[in-house]
Amino acid sequence: MTRDEMLLFEKKPLCPIVEELKGIFESSLEAQGAFKEAIDSIKDFPDEPPLKPKKNIWSEKDYMDYCYYFNNWFHFLATPSKVGLGFIMHFTEFYYNNEKASYFLNTFKINDEPVIYDWTVKFIMARGKFMDTPSTEVQEAIAEWVNDPATHIEDFRVPGGGYRTFNEFFTRELKPGARPVSSAEDDAVIVAPADCELNMIDSALTGETVIETKGHNKLNVKQLLNGYYSWDRFIGGTALSCVLLPSDYHHYHSPVTGKLVHYEEAGKVYFGLEEAPSWFHNGNVGASDADFSVFEQFHRAIFIFQTERFGQVAMVAVGLNTISKIGADMSSINTANKYKKIDDQNPLLVYKGEQLGHFKYGGSLNILLFEPGVFKGVKVHQGQRIGTLSKPATLF
C-alpha cells in the first residue's frame, strides 16, 4: 500500500456521521451488494493523455475501507503542505469510467429512498459544521496557513484574537487596496473575478448542442445558464474558466462594469465530477482537457451584466463537489442579498472589481461568457504577473 493509500484509508475511530454510513451497510445486504458491484467495476487508468497509467486505489477495497476514507476526509483540513484537492481527486477514482459506482452514489435506493445519496448530503452538512467549529486541529491548520509567506496574510483582515474556524479563515476579507482593480476607468479591460487559475475554453460556443473544443471540453450554454431567455447571445462567443484552489481568496467580484440585469441560482447536490480525473490533471487545473458540461449540474449563481459597449457578459459562479448546495442553512455560494433582487426591469449598476459574494470551503470556479468577437484570449503586458511558482507538494 502506498503512503497516499495509508493516509486515505487509515483506520481511526469513526465520527458519528460515518458511523451512520457504516450502519447503512451493516443493515443492508443490498447496499453491500451495490457497493461490491461498483468495486468489481473499478478500472485502472490508461496511458492516454492527459491521464497516466496508474492502478486504481479503490481496487479490491471493501465497504469498511469506504467508511474509513470518508472518516479521514471528514477530518481533513487543507494546509500549505497538504494540497486541498487530495481527497476529492482520489475519490474520483472510485467512479472513473464506472457506471456502477455512479449508480451507487446517486441513484441506488432502499425502499425507494436514495440512501447513499441522502447520506452524502448529510456528510456535506456535517463537514460544513466541522469547518464552522473551533477546535485545536483547526487552529493548527490555520496557523500553518498564516505563517506561510505564500498566503500573504498581510493582505487580509485578521479579526482580534485571530480566525476561530476554518471557514472564517477561508472566507477571509482583503484589506482595502490589497487587490487594486486594473484600468478601473477603462471598460474595455476585464478583470479576474477572484484569485484563480485561468482555463481557456475555445471560442465558437454553441447552444443546445454539446460541442467539442480544445481537448475534451464541452459546454452547453443554454443549460449552463439555466435557460436564461437571452442565452443565445453567447452563441459563437468565448468562455473562460477561472478556477479557485483551496489556498485562494474565495470571494468573487464583478469582472466588468455594467448593469446587472439578471441573477439566479440553479443546480443541486451532485456528488462526483464525471471527468474529474482528466480535469484535475494531478492538480493542474489550469489545463484544458475536461468536460465542462458537467458544471451545469452543480450549484451555481448566474450573473448577467449589460455593458455599455461590449454587449452582455455572463459570469457563472460554480460550487463543486463537497460544497454543492445543500439547503438554506448552508450553501456553497453566498451572494449578497442586494444582487439577488434584480432583474432586467430593475437593473443595478455594478462596477468592475465590486465584491458580489463568496464561496465556502471546497472546489470552486467562475465561468465567464462573452458574445462573439468581444473577447478572443488572455493578453498581458510585458512584466505583468502571469502566475507564481511554488515548491513541489504532495497531495496530503
Side-chain angles (χ1 to χ4, degrees), residues 288-307:
S288 293
D289 294 283
D291 182 349
F292 281 85
S293 67
V294 73
F295 297 147
E296 67 216 15
Q297 301 292 334
F298 285 89
H299 181 210
R300 59 201 188 280
I302 301 163
F303 299 84
I304 307 292
F305 305 95
Q306 179 67 56
T307 67

Side-chain angles (χ1 to χ4, degrees), residues 7 18 50 98 107 222 248 256 300 307 317 322 328 337 348 380 390:
L7 292 169
V18 181
N98 188 340
T107 310
K222 183 177 182 180
D248 289 331
V256 294
R300 59 201 188 280
T307 67
T322 57
N337 286 332
L348 178 67
V380 296
S390 59

Side-chain angles (χ1 to χ4, degrees), residues 11 84 124 188 316 385:
K11 297 180 180 180
I124 293 168
V316 184
R385 168 181 167 149

Side-chain angles (χ1 to χ4, degrees), residues 187-262:
D187 290 350
V189 175
I190 62 170
V191 297
D195 288 1
C196 56
E197 293 192 12
L198 301 182
N199 184 314
M200 286 301 301
I201 305 175
D202 281 357
S203 57
L205 299 176
T206 65
E208 297 183 66
T209 304
V210 171
I211 55 129
E212 300 288 344
T213 59
K214 186 183 301 181
H216 303 292
N217 290 335
K218 302 172 185 176
L219 187 65
N220 183 321
V221 176
K222 183 177 182 180
Q223 292 178 355
L224 185 71
L225 297 181
N226 203 40
Y228 168 62
Y229 73 90
S230 193
W231 62 269
D232 55 351
R233 298 176 66 129
F234 301 101
I235 292 178
T238 305
L240 177 68
S241 178
C242 308
V243 183
L244 287 73
L245 298 179
S247 57
D248 289 331
Y249 165 69
H250 260 62
H251 294 254
Y252 46 90
H253 298 243
S254 176
V256 294
T257 293
K259 292 181 179 179
L260 182 61
V261 296
H262 180 80

